[in-house]
Amino acid sequence: SGTTMELQVVNNDLERLGVTDVSVAGSSVYSTAKNFTSGESAVLTATLGTTCGAAGTPFTYSDVVITYNKGSVTAIKQTGTKPLVGKCS
């Protein structure tokens, strides 16, 4: 809604993970550190650079990258294999 995007994130790893950044098309939209224990799920609230559109308008966000830490390994980047799609609310 507006410039706010909520992302449901789940840690499917056996180890604790710490999300440090989410970017969309090269722009950081979330940069608050959030730690996830194994199996934990949470909603991350991201701020986009542009407004989504009117309620019901479809959106597509390509090149979504999540940066996280795992143990002593930092700044691991994972790129989505498919774009995020949905409808504005």
Side-chain angles (χ1 to χ4, degrees):
S1 178
T3 59
T4 301
M5 178 172 59
E6 293 182 339
L7 301 166
Q8 180 77 37
V9 178
V10 179
N11 176 4
N12 289 324
D13 200 289
L14 293 176
E15 293 186 44
R16 181 181 177 145
L17 302 177
V19 173
T20 58
D21 187 76
V22 177
S23 65
V24 175
S27 296
S28 179
V29 297
Y30 175 87
S31 59
T32 304
K34 169 66 176 144
N35 291 315
F36 291 83
T37 58
S38 180
E40 184 178 357
S41 173
V43 174
L44 304 181
T45 302
T47 304
L48 301 169
T50 59
T51 300
C52 185
T57 303
F59 66 79
T60 300
Y61 295 115
S62 300
D63 193 25
V64 177
V65 179
I66 297 176
T67 305
Y68 63 96
N69 302 327
K70 179 178 177 179
S72 62
V73 181
T74 60
I76 301 165
K77 295 186 182 298
Q78 185 164 354
T79 303
T81 57
K82 296 181 181 179
L84 292 179
V85 295
K87 291 187 179 183
C88 301
S89 59

